[in-house]
Amino acid sequence: MTTVALPAGSGQLGHGLRMIGNEVRKVLHLTWANRAALIFQLGFMTVLYWMIQYFVGGGRVVPELAAQTFVAYLAFVVTYVSLLRMASGLLEEVHTGTFMQSLLSPLRPWVLSTGRLVAVVVEGMLVAAVLAVIFLPLLVSHLDFRWQAIVPAVFTLVDAAGFAMLIGGLALFVTGVGAVMHVLWNLLLMLNGSFVPIYVFPAWLEAVAKFWPTALGADATRQILSDGASLTELWSDFTMPLVIGHALLMLLLGWVVFHIGIRRGLKRGRLGP
Amino acid sequence: MSSTTTAQPAGQALSPGGTLIAVGNEVVKGLRHGWAERTQILIELPLFVSFILMVGFIAGRGQQVADTGRMNWALDTATASWLFLGISLYTLMYLQIQKLFWRQLAELQTGTLEQTYLSPLPSWLHAVVGRAVAATVEAAIVVAAMYAVLSLAVRLDLTWRLDALVPLALGLLGTTGFALIVGGLALRWKGIEVFNDFVLLLFMFFSGVMVAIDRLPAFSDYISPYLYLTHVTAGVRRIMLDDQGLSTWGTGGYVWLVATTLAWFLAGFAIFRGCERAAKRSGSLSRY
């Protein structure tokens, strides 16, 4: 029997980084191998946004409104792709038995999870980038591009990643998560500001929306790009601390649930077919 | 070592009575599946209810939001009734397709789908019949909840007539065809979750569920008439909103209704059989 020796204590970080890189490469390879699905994914995302705006505009797209909702929609896209890959992809691996194989790796489960998470978020960001290229000509005159927007945008991504991990972890506990996935992404779409900005919501709905993943971060980014707000202003009115707090809490919650799911699944033998 | 054989060898034709019993069993099985998924239904209910409220409130308010940064959160009877009928019919189709798809995908991935080929019932019947009944019951519950909640917010002006069951029944037939297409493609290709969502989205848009057909872009003239849901929705609205019987011709008339639902059913049947044959050849019935 052959075993793989991992140098004790040394290079754990280096191996981890290589592993994350390999995971990202693997996911991109798989995405490319499955490019027909990618075309549908892009088509779906493009048509969905156009359709929402066409509907809200009463038979035409209102560019001023689209500029205020587009960031939230991009956040939704990253979350949707991450959700699909983290939960549906994970369930497929569990059913086919390959998830157990991945746990045979000499690397710790948290490194594997990080690799998986980074890979799905990268895939989501690539899809979002293509959409941005498609829609920006329509919106460019209504947006003021500033680097400050990157800060809340990054925390929005962290929020999305945490949520995907949370649902991926729940999928290891609850059979049938796949069948209610559409509930999650539809609610996300309705509440994160992709239809209309969340400040238009009635006060109670706005408060509910702010608990939902990506809504706070996307709104902060919108304020910078669309309303001309600065990071200092967003910090002083407590928006940024809330964005950061929400994102970090979501990541922590997702991380904990995901790893409990793996540990419980291993104990009960539920991570295989 | 002794072996046990079934009285009805796989593939052998059943008598009409036997077929009825087998179909009845499939329906009971589907309903049991539905009952086992009652938590899912409870989770889905708020989604559909909030969806119909949300679209009812924001339909056509884009310019108002862009100009004033505010929105009047009020519903009017005509818009709400019109949207309720469209979205209810769409929900019926949506749930049936989603349920069939996810169940079949799980069976494919776990390898239990191949076992269903031991049954003397045709595979396409297996794929849709039980699940269709369960999804219809489930959709009825969801639609009833949507009606109840929406009625609290606004008065719905609907005429309840029995002849609305005609386009409804034809809609179920068309949806069975659509479900067979999705099921067939899932047998052959992995990763079609997004394709499924995409096609359902196109259906929602081009069949006039949320935006009236005459307000859709010009190119939709090449798509909308060929979707069975366009005619089902138009037919039900004509009966329940306008209090008129179905016309013979035109959108939502008998001719288009019957032609499109039959075409979708037959196309579904053919695609399912074709994909099934290909899946058997490539051995992807049990695993991709």
mmCIF file with all atom_site columns, all heavy atoms in Angstrom, chain A residues 148-167:
data_model
loop_
_atom_site.group_PDB
_atom_site.id
_atom_site.type_symbol
_atom_site.label_atom_id
_atom_site.label_alt_id
_atom_site.label_comp_id
_atom_site.label_asym_id
_atom_site.label_entity_id
_atom_site.label_seq_id
_atom_site.pdbx_PDB_ins_code
_atom_site.Cartn_x
_atom_site.Cartn_y
_atom_site.Cartn_z
_atom_site.occupancy
_atom_site.B_iso_or_equiv
_atom_site.pdbx_formal_charge
_atom_site.auth_seq_id
_atom_site.auth_comp_id
_atom_site.auth_asym_id
_atom_site.auth_atom_id
_atom_site.pdbx_PDB_model_num
ATOM 1   N N   . GLN A 1 148 ? -13.483 53.634 -4.876 1.00 0.00 ? 148 GLN A N   1
ATOM 2   C CA  . GLN A 1 148 ? -13.996 53.398 -3.514 1.00 0.00 ? 148 GLN A CA  1
ATOM 3   C C   . GLN A 1 148 ? -15.057 52.292 -3.495 1.00 0.00 ? 148 GLN A C   1
ATOM 4   O O   . GLN A 1 148 ? -15.255 51.621 -2.491 1.00 0.00 ? 148 GLN A O   1
ATOM 5   C CB  . GLN A 1 148 ? -14.622 54.671 -2.964 1.00 0.00 ? 148 GLN A CB  1
ATOM 6   C CG  . GLN A 1 148 ? -13.629 55.776 -2.693 1.00 0.00 ? 148 GLN A CG  1
ATOM 7   C CD  . GLN A 1 148 ? -14.311 56.980 -2.061 1.00 0.00 ? 148 GLN A CD  1
ATOM 8   O OE1 . GLN A 1 148 ? -15.237 56.839 -1.273 1.00 0.00 ? 148 GLN A OE1 1
ATOM 9   N NE2 . GLN A 1 148 ? -13.847 58.161 -2.397 1.00 0.00 ? 148 GLN A NE2 1
ATOM 10  N N   . ALA A 1 149 ? -15.731 52.142 -4.641 1.00 0.00 ? 149 ALA A N   1
ATOM 11  C CA  . ALA A 1 149 ? -16.817 51.152 -4.709 1.00 0.00 ? 149 ALA A CA  1
ATOM 12  C C   . ALA A 1 149 ? -16.300 49.726 -4.521 1.00 0.00 ? 149 ALA A C   1
ATOM 13  O O   . ALA A 1 149 ? -17.073 48.816 -4.197 1.00 0.00 ? 149 ALA A O   1
ATOM 14  C CB  . ALA A 1 149 ? -17.533 51.283 -6.043 1.00 0.00 ? 149 ALA A CB  1
ATOM 15  N N   . ILE A 1 150 ? -14.984 49.550 -4.740 1.00 0.00 ? 150 ILE A N   1
ATOM 16  C CA  . ILE A 1 150 ? -14.425 48.191 -4.627 1.00 0.00 ? 150 ILE A CA  1
ATOM 17  C C   . ILE A 1 150 ? -14.571 47.648 -3.198 1.00 0.00 ? 150 ILE A C   1
ATOM 18  O O   . ILE A 1 150 ? -14.803 46.458 -2.997 1.00 0.00 ? 150 ILE A O   1
ATOM 19  C CB  . ILE A 1 150 ? -12.943 48.188 -5.078 1.00 0.00 ? 150 ILE A CB  1
ATOM 20  C CG1 . ILE A 1 150 ? -12.906 48.412 -6.590 1.00 0.00 ? 150 ILE A CG1 1
ATOM 21  C CG2 . ILE A 1 150 ? -12.251 46.884 -4.717 1.00 0.00 ? 150 ILE A CG2 1
ATOM 22  C CD1 . ILE A 1 150 ? -11.533 48.518 -7.157 1.00 0.00 ? 150 ILE A CD1 1
ATOM 23  N N   . VAL A 1 151 ? -14.467 48.550 -2.214 1.00 0.00 ? 151 VAL A N   1
ATOM 24  C CA  . VAL A 1 151 ? -14.489 48.079 -0.809 1.00 0.00 ? 151 VAL A CA  1
ATOM 25  C C   . VAL A 1 151 ? -15.830 47.389 -0.480 1.00 0.00 ? 151 VAL A C   1
ATOM 26  O O   . VAL A 1 151 ? -15.833 46.211 -0.099 1.00 0.00 ? 151 VAL A O   1
ATOM 27  C CB  . VAL A 1 151 ? -14.175 49.243 0.167  1.00 0.00 ? 151 VAL A CB  1
ATOM 28  C CG1 . VAL A 1 151 ? -14.206 48.732 1.601  1.00 0.00 ? 151 VAL A CG1 1
ATOM 29  C CG2 . VAL A 1 151 ? -12.823 49.850 -0.169 1.00 0.00 ? 151 VAL A CG2 1
ATOM 30  N N   . PRO A 1 152 ? -16.978 48.076 -0.628 1.00 0.00 ? 152 PRO A N   1
ATOM 31  C CA  . PRO A 1 152 ? -18.229 47.344 -0.334 1.00 0.00 ? 152 PRO A CA  1
ATOM 32  C C   . PRO A 1 152 ? -18.468 46.185 -1.295 1.00 0.00 ? 152 PRO A C   1
ATOM 33  O O   . PRO A 1 152 ? -19.058 45.171 -0.906 1.00 0.00 ? 152 PRO A O   1
ATOM 34  C CB  . PRO A 1 152 ? -19.322 48.411 -0.492 1.00 0.00 ? 152 PRO A CB  1
ATOM 35  C CG  . PRO A 1 152 ? -18.709 49.529 -1.244 1.00 0.00 ? 152 PRO A CG  1
ATOM 36  C CD  . PRO A 1 152 ? -17.247 49.503 -0.958 1.00 0.00 ? 152 PRO A CD  1
ATOM 37  N N   . ALA A 1 153 ? -17.953 46.317 -2.547 1.00 0.00 ? 153 ALA A N   1
ATOM 38  C CA  . ALA A 1 153 ? -18.153 45.227 -3.517 1.00 0.00 ? 153 ALA A CA  1
ATOM 39  C C   . ALA A 1 153 ? -17.443 43.950 -3.042 1.00 0.00 ? 153 ALA A C   1
ATOM 40  O O   . ALA A 1 153 ? -17.991 42.847 -3.154 1.00 0.00 ? 153 ALA A O   1
ATOM 41  C CB  . ALA A 1 153 ? -17.651 45.649 -4.894 1.00 0.00 ? 153 ALA A CB  1
ATOM 42  N N   . VAL A 1 154 ? -16.228 44.127 -2.483 1.00 0.00 ? 154 VAL A N   1
ATOM 43  C CA  . VAL A 1 154 ? -15.476 42.955 -2.000 1.00 0.00 ? 154 VAL A CA  1
ATOM 44  C C   . VAL A 1 154 ? -16.236 42.281 -0.842 1.00 0.00 ? 154 VAL A C   1
ATOM 45  O O   . VAL A 1 154 ? -16.379 41.054 -0.796 1.00 0.00 ? 154 VAL A O   1
ATOM 46  C CB  . VAL A 1 154 ? -14.047 43.369 -1.561 1.00 0.00 ? 154 VAL A CB  1
ATOM 47  C CG1 . VAL A 1 154 ? -13.383 42.258 -0.752 1.00 0.00 ? 154 VAL A CG1 1
ATOM 48  C CG2 . VAL A 1 154 ? -13.208 43.704 -2.775 1.00 0.00 ? 154 VAL A CG2 1
ATOM 49  N N   . PHE A 1 155 ? -16.771 43.105 0.064  1.00 0.00 ? 155 PHE A N   1
ATOM 50  C CA  . PHE A 1 155 ? -17.513 42.515 1.188  1.00 0.00 ? 155 PHE A CA  1
ATOM 51  C C   . PHE A 1 155 ? -18.832 41.878 0.719  1.00 0.00 ? 155 PHE A C   1
ATOM 52  O O   . PHE A 1 155 ? -19.322 40.934 1.341  1.00 0.00 ? 155 PHE A O   1
ATOM 53  C CB  . PHE A 1 155 ? -17.744 43.557 2.291  1.00 0.00 ? 155 PHE A CB  1
ATOM 54  C CG  . PHE A 1 155 ? -16.514 43.782 3.099  1.00 0.00 ? 155 PHE A CG  1
ATOM 55  C CD1 . PHE A 1 155 ? -15.716 44.897 2.885  1.00 0.00 ? 155 PHE A CD1 1
ATOM 56  C CD2 . PHE A 1 155 ? -16.114 42.847 4.053  1.00 0.00 ? 155 PHE A CD2 1
ATOM 57  C CE1 . PHE A 1 155 ? -14.548 45.080 3.613  1.00 0.00 ? 155 PHE A CE1 1
ATOM 58  C CE2 . PHE A 1 155 ? -14.950 43.028 4.781  1.00 0.00 ? 155 PHE A CE2 1
ATOM 59  C CZ  . PHE A 1 155 ? -14.163 44.146 4.566  1.00 0.00 ? 155 PHE A CZ  1
ATOM 60  N N   . THR A 1 156 ? -19.365 42.389 -0.378 1.00 0.00 ? 156 THR A N   1
ATOM 61  C CA  . THR A 1 156 ? -20.566 41.746 -0.948 1.00 0.00 ? 156 THR A CA  1
ATOM 62  C C   . THR A 1 156 ? -20.210 40.346 -1.444 1.00 0.00 ? 156 THR A C   1
ATOM 63  O O   . THR A 1 156 ? -20.984 39.396 -1.270 1.00 0.00 ? 156 THR A O   1
ATOM 64  C CB  . THR A 1 156 ? -21.122 42.597 -2.113 1.00 0.00 ? 156 THR A CB  1
ATOM 65  O OG1 . THR A 1 156 ? -21.222 43.943 -1.683 1.00 0.00 ? 156 THR A OG1 1
ATOM 66  C CG2 . THR A 1 156 ? -22.475 42.111 -2.562 1.00 0.00 ? 156 THR A CG2 1
ATOM 67  N N   . LEU A 1 157 ? -19.025 40.228 -2.040 1.00 0.00 ? 157 LEU A N   1
ATOM 68  C CA  . LEU A 1 157 ? -18.571 38.905 -2.507 1.00 0.00 ? 157 LEU A CA  1
ATOM 69  C C   . LEU A 1 157 ? -18.378 37.957 -1.321 1.00 0.00 ? 157 LEU A C   1
ATOM 70  O O   . LEU A 1 157 ? -18.735 36.768 -1.389 1.00 0.00 ? 157 LEU A O   1
ATOM 71  C CB  . LEU A 1 157 ? -17.261 39.038 -3.282 1.00 0.00 ? 157 LEU A CB  1
ATOM 72  C CG  . LEU A 1 157 ? -17.335 39.658 -4.672 1.00 0.00 ? 157 LEU A CG  1
ATOM 73  C CD1 . LEU A 1 157 ? -15.941 39.776 -5.266 1.00 0.00 ? 157 LEU A CD1 1
ATOM 74  C CD2 . LEU A 1 157 ? -18.215 38.809 -5.591 1.00 0.00 ? 157 LEU A CD2 1
ATOM 75  N N   . VAL A 1 158 ? -17.811 38.489 -0.243 1.00 0.00 ? 158 VAL A N   1
ATOM 76  C CA  . VAL A 1 158 ? -17.597 37.665 0.960  1.00 0.00 ? 158 VAL A CA  1
ATOM 77  C C   . VAL A 1 158 ? -18.962 37.183 1.487  1.00 0.00 ? 158 VAL A C   1
ATOM 78  O O   . VAL A 1 158 ? -19.130 36.018 1.865  1.00 0.00 ? 158 VAL A O   1
ATOM 79  C CB  . VAL A 1 158 ? -16.854 38.482 2.051  1.00 0.00 ? 158 VAL A CB  1
ATOM 80  C CG1 . VAL A 1 158 ? -16.770 37.702 3.359  1.00 0.00 ? 158 VAL A CG1 1
ATOM 81  C CG2 . VAL A 1 158 ? -15.457 38.843 1.567  1.00 0.00 ? 158 VAL A CG2 1
ATOM 82  N N   . ASP A 1 159 ? -19.920 38.091 1.476  1.00 0.00 ? 159 ASP A N   1
ATOM 83  C CA  . ASP A 1 159 ? -21.279 37.771 1.918  1.00 0.00 ? 159 ASP A CA  1
ATOM 84  C C   . ASP A 1 159 ? -21.865 36.638 1.061  1.00 0.00 ? 159 ASP A C   1
ATOM 85  O O   . ASP A 1 159 ? -22.428 35.664 1.582  1.00 0.00 ? 159 ASP A O   1
ATOM 86  C CB  . ASP A 1 159 ? -22.135 39.036 1.748  1.00 0.00 ? 159 ASP A CB  1
ATOM 87  C CG  . ASP A 1 159 ? -23.256 39.125 2.766  1.00 0.00 ? 159 ASP A CG  1
ATOM 88  O OD1 . ASP A 1 159 ? -23.210 38.391 3.762  1.00 0.00 ? 159 ASP A OD1 1
ATOM 89  O OD2 . ASP A 1 159 ? -24.171 39.944 2.555  1.00 0.00 ? 159 ASP A OD2 1
ATOM 90  N N   . ALA A 1 160 ? -21.705 36.779 -0.252 1.00 0.00 ? 160 ALA A N   1
ATOM 91  C CA  . ALA A 1 160 ? -22.228 35.773 -1.188 1.00 0.00 ? 160 ALA A CA  1
ATOM 92  C C   . ALA A 1 160 ? -21.556 34.422 -0.942 1.00 0.00 ? 160 ALA A C   1
ATOM 93  O O   . ALA A 1 160 ? -22.218 33.372 -0.925 1.00 0.00 ? 160 ALA A O   1
ATOM 94  C CB  . ALA A 1 160 ? -22.000 36.222 -2.629 1.00 0.00 ? 160 ALA A CB  1
ATOM 95  N N   . ALA A 1 161 ? -20.225 34.468 -0.736 1.00 0.00 ? 161 ALA A N   1
ATOM 96  C CA  . ALA A 1 161 ? -19.483 33.221 -0.513 1.00 0.00 ? 161 ALA A CA  1
ATOM 97  C C   . ALA A 1 161 ? -19.960 32.534 0.768  1.00 0.00 ? 161 ALA A C   1
ATOM 98  O O   . ALA A 1 161 ? -20.151 31.313 0.803  1.00 0.00 ? 161 ALA A O   1
ATOM 99  C CB  . ALA A 1 161 ? -17.995 33.525 -0.434 1.00 0.00 ? 161 ALA A CB  1
ATOM 100 N N   . GLY A 1 162 ? -20.155 33.338 1.823  1.00 0.00 ? 162 GLY A N   1
ATOM 101 C CA  . GLY A 1 162 ? -20.618 32.780 3.095  1.00 0.00 ? 162 GLY A CA  1
ATOM 102 C C   . GLY A 1 162 ? -21.986 32.132 2.945  1.00 0.00 ? 162 GLY A C   1
ATOM 103 O O   . GLY A 1 162 ? -22.236 31.040 3.468  1.00 0.00 ? 162 GLY A O   1
ATOM 104 N N   . PHE A 1 163 ? -22.874 32.806 2.211  1.00 0.00 ? 163 PHE A N   1
ATOM 105 C CA  . PHE A 1 163 ? -24.222 32.272 2.007  1.00 0.00 ? 163 PHE A CA  1
ATOM 106 C C   . PHE A 1 163 ? -24.175 30.953 1.226  1.00 0.00 ? 163 PHE A C   1
ATOM 107 O O   . PHE A 1 163 ? -24.856 29.984 1.582  1.00 0.00 ? 163 PHE A O   1
ATOM 108 C CB  . PHE A 1 163 ? -25.064 33.309 1.258  1.00 0.00 ? 163 PHE A CB  1
ATOM 109 C CG  . PHE A 1 163 ? -26.507 32.921 1.104  1.00 0.00 ? 163 PHE A CG  1
ATOM 110 C CD1 . PHE A 1 163 ? -27.302 32.672 2.217  1.00 0.00 ? 163 PHE A CD1 1
ATOM 111 C CD2 . PHE A 1 163 ? -27.084 32.811 -0.156 1.00 0.00 ? 163 PHE A CD2 1
ATOM 112 C CE1 . PHE A 1 163 ? -28.636 32.327 2.074  1.00 0.00 ? 163 PHE A CE1 1
ATOM 113 C CE2 . PHE A 1 163 ? -28.415 32.465 -0.304 1.00 0.00 ? 163 PHE A CE2 1
ATOM 114 C CZ  . PHE A 1 163 ? -29.190 32.217 0.815  1.00 0.00 ? 163 PHE A CZ  1
ATOM 115 N N   . ALA A 1 164 ? -23.338 30.926 0.184  1.00 0.00 ? 164 ALA A N   1
ATOM 116 C CA  . ALA A 1 164 ? -23.216 29.692 -0.621 1.00 0.00 ? 164 ALA A CA  1
ATOM 117 C C   . ALA A 1 164 ? -22.703 28.548 0.250  1.00 0.00 ? 164 ALA A C   1
ATOM 118 O O   . ALA A 1 164 ? -23.158 27.411 0.146  1.00 0.00 ? 164 ALA A O   1
ATOM 119 C CB  . ALA A 1 164 ? -22.290 29.931 -1.804 1.00 0.00 ? 164 ALA A CB  1
ATOM 120 N N   . MET A 1 165 ? -21.771 28.870 1.125  1.00 0.00 ? 165 MET A N   1
ATOM 121 C CA  . MET A 1 165 ? -21.211 27.844 1.997  1.00 0.00 ? 165 MET A CA  1
ATOM 122 C C   . MET A 1 165 ? -22.261 27.361 3.003  1.00 0.00 ? 165 MET A C   1
ATOM 123 O O   . MET A 1 165 ? -22.345 26.170 3.307  1.00 0.00 ? 165 MET A O   1
ATOM 124 C CB  . MET A 1 165 ? -20.030 28.440 2.742  1.00 0.00 ? 165 MET A CB  1
ATOM 125 C CG  . MET A 1 165 ? -19.008 27.412 3.087  1.00 0.00 ? 165 MET A CG  1
ATOM 126 S SD  . MET A 1 165 ? -17.443 28.140 3.412  1.00 0.00 ? 165 MET A SD  1
ATOM 127 C CE  . MET A 1 165 ? -16.462 26.660 3.445  1.00 0.00 ? 165 MET A CE  1
ATOM 128 N N   . LEU A 1 166 ? -23.048 28.307 3.502  1.00 0.00 ? 166 LEU A N   1
ATOM 129 C CA  . LEU A 1 166 ? -24.114 27.956 4.455  1.00 0.00 ? 166 LEU A CA  1
ATOM 130 C C   . LEU A 1 166 ? -25.101 26.972 3.810  1.00 0.00 ? 166 LEU A C   1
ATOM 131 O O   . LEU A 1 166 ? -25.445 25.937 4.391  1.00 0.00 ? 166 LEU A O   1
ATOM 132 C CB  . LEU A 1 166 ? -24.844 29.233 4.894  1.00 0.00 ? 166 LEU A CB  1
ATOM 133 C CG  . LEU A 1 166 ? -26.086 29.053 5.745  1.00 0.00 ? 166 LEU A CG  1
ATOM 134 C CD1 . LEU A 1 166 ? -25.721 28.533 7.125  1.00 0.00 ? 166 LEU A CD1 1
ATOM 135 C CD2 . LEU A 1 166 ? -26.849 30.370 5.895  1.00 0.00 ? 166 LEU A CD2 1
ATOM 136 N N   . ILE A 1 167 ? -25.525 27.286 2.593  1.00 0.00 ? 167 ILE A N   1
ATOM 137 C CA  . ILE A 1 167 ? -26.503 26.414 1.929  1.00 0.00 ? 167 ILE A CA  1
ATOM 138 C C   . ILE A 1 167 ? -25.847 25.091 1.525  1.00 0.00 ? 167 ILE A C   1
ATOM 139 O O   . ILE A 1 167 ? -26.458 24.025 1.615  1.00 0.00 ? 167 ILE A O   1
ATOM 140 C CB  . ILE A 1 167 ? -27.126 27.121 0.700  1.00 0.00 ? 167 ILE A CB  1
ATOM 141 C CG1 . ILE A 1 167 ? -27.785 28.444 1.129  1.00 0.00 ? 167 ILE A CG1 1
ATOM 142 C CG2 . ILE A 1 167 ? -28.146 26.232 0.008  1.00 0.00 ? 167 ILE A CG2 1
ATOM 143 C CD1 . ILE A 1 167 ? -28.830 28.326 2.221  1.00 0.00 ? 167 ILE A CD1 1
#
